[in-house]
Amino acid sequence: AQSVTQLGSHVSVSEGALVLLRCNYSSSVPPYLFWYVQYPNQGLQLLLKYTSAATLVKGINGFEAEFKKSETSFHLTKPSAHMSDAAEYFCAVSEREYGNKLVFGAGTILRVKS
Amino acid sequence: DAGVTQSPTHLIKTRGQQVTLRCSPISGHKSVSWYQQVLGQGPQFIFQYYEKEERGRGNFPDRFSARQFPNYSSELNVNALLLGDSALYLCASSETGAGFADTQYFGPGTRLTVL
């Protein structure tokens, strides 16, 4: 069965500092992995997705994530945080067996301090 | 192009009532999925529809039902509402819905409050 664990329900960084949001997954087969961002009172916006083409995936707004099979991880990073990055971030996994279904983690709220 | 649209934006119902939520996918997308997001949690998969056929169902009671219309829009119905049904209901569309790599695009959601 698929599952996603996001370590840290809240992360706080200073503006200009490195952003690191952690995601570990459980999957019996090679998964497809996604990061979504949710701003207050809005739906989810896709940041990036891993589809096995390359282990380092670049997304929108300067975010990137690295797939590490040995660690079953797909952590999200951004070199320099901006105030506009404050939002909630969700990691999600899908597997061929389950078709279109996404399984989400509980989310990490990112706070950016000025 | 317009993104995924959902209506209504907000809804307040009382226990035992029934509710219908609506979703219009991105033009050209044939698959619609529904998710429930309870406050403080990640979205939970409810249904997927593709070409008017149910393709997947999450662990939700039979009080939850959905359908997809010939124009690919969709409705989610919830009967006999419980307080625990209070949540943000998200609709997502994708081009085919046939592959697990299919990117899903989410709408802004419908906030349902059950009193």
Side-chain angles (χ1 to χ4, degrees):
Chain A
Q2 313 157 287
S3 67
V4 173
T5 302
Q6 291 185 240
L7 296 175
S9 58
H10 292 77
V11 170
S12 183
V13 300
S14 298
E15 194 174 17
L18 171 71
V19 175
L20 171 61
L21 304 181
R22 300 178 186 273
C23 172
N24 288 88
Y25 68 91
S26 173
S27 174
S28 57
V29 297
Y32 275 28
L33 295 158
F34 305 79
W35 275 101
Y36 283 87
V37 61
Q38 186 175 36
Y39 297 98
N41 300 313
Q42 294 187 24
L44 303 175
Q45 179 183 6
L46 180 69
L47 280 176
L48 50 82
K49 72 177 184 180
Y50 166 75
T51 60
S52 76
T55 56
L56 184 62
V57 182
K58 294 188 183 298
I60 62 172
N61 301 336
F63 284 94
E64 63 181 34
E66 185 173 9
F67 173 70
K68 292 187 177 181
K69 184 179 179 180
S70 61
E71 299 177 9
T72 60
S73 68
F74 190 57
H75 301 332
L76 182 71
T77 61
K78 182 174 180 178
S80 178
H82 191 273
M83 296 297 289
S84 61
D85 295 326
E88 189 161 18
Y89 293 79
F90 292 94
C91 182
V93 64
S94 70
E95 291 179 3
R96 185 184 303 276
E97 177 183 353
Y98 300 100
N100 198 266
K101 170 187 173 184
L102 287 172
V103 174
F104 286 87
T108 297
I109 295 173
L110 175 65
R111 177 189 171 209
V112 181
K113 299 175 291 184
S114 59
Chain B
D1 284 342
V4 178
T5 59
Q6 294 185 242
S7 63
T9 305
H10 295 87
L11 207 50
I12 298 175
K13 293 285 188 179
T14 57
R15 282 179 295 176
Q17 286 189 310
Q18 174 265 341
V19 68
T20 298
L21 311 180
R22 295 176 175 82
C23 172
S24 292
I26 292 171
S27 177
H29 285 193
K30 298 181 178 181
S31 176
V32 169
S33 297
W34 287 94
Y35 292 80
Q36 180 196 63
Q37 186 180 16
V38 173
L39 196 62
Q41 298 181 18
Q44 299 285 321
F45 174 77
I46 310 176
F47 284 112
Q48 185 209 350
Y49 275 78
Y50 175 66
E51 292 281 15
K52 297 171 288 181
E53 299 279 334
E54 182 182 304
R55 283 293 186 91
R57 183 184 183 112
N59 188 24
F60 281 82
D62 291 343
R63 299 185 295 107
F64 288 76
S65 64
R67 55 179 176 169
Q68 186 176 34
F69 298 99
N71 66 354
Y72 303 111
S73 67
S74 177
E75 287 182 350
L76 175 70
N77 295 284
V78 186
N79 294 322
L81 285 167
L82 303 174
L83 294 179
D85 295 331
S86 294
L88 180 67
Y89 288 85
L90 296 165
C91 173
S93 77
S94 58
E95 287 189 42
T96 67
F100 66 117
D102 228 13
T103 295
Q104 294 187 55
Y105 297 88
F106 284 80
T110 293
R111 173 75 62 188
L112 172 65
T113 302
V114 182
L115 302 177

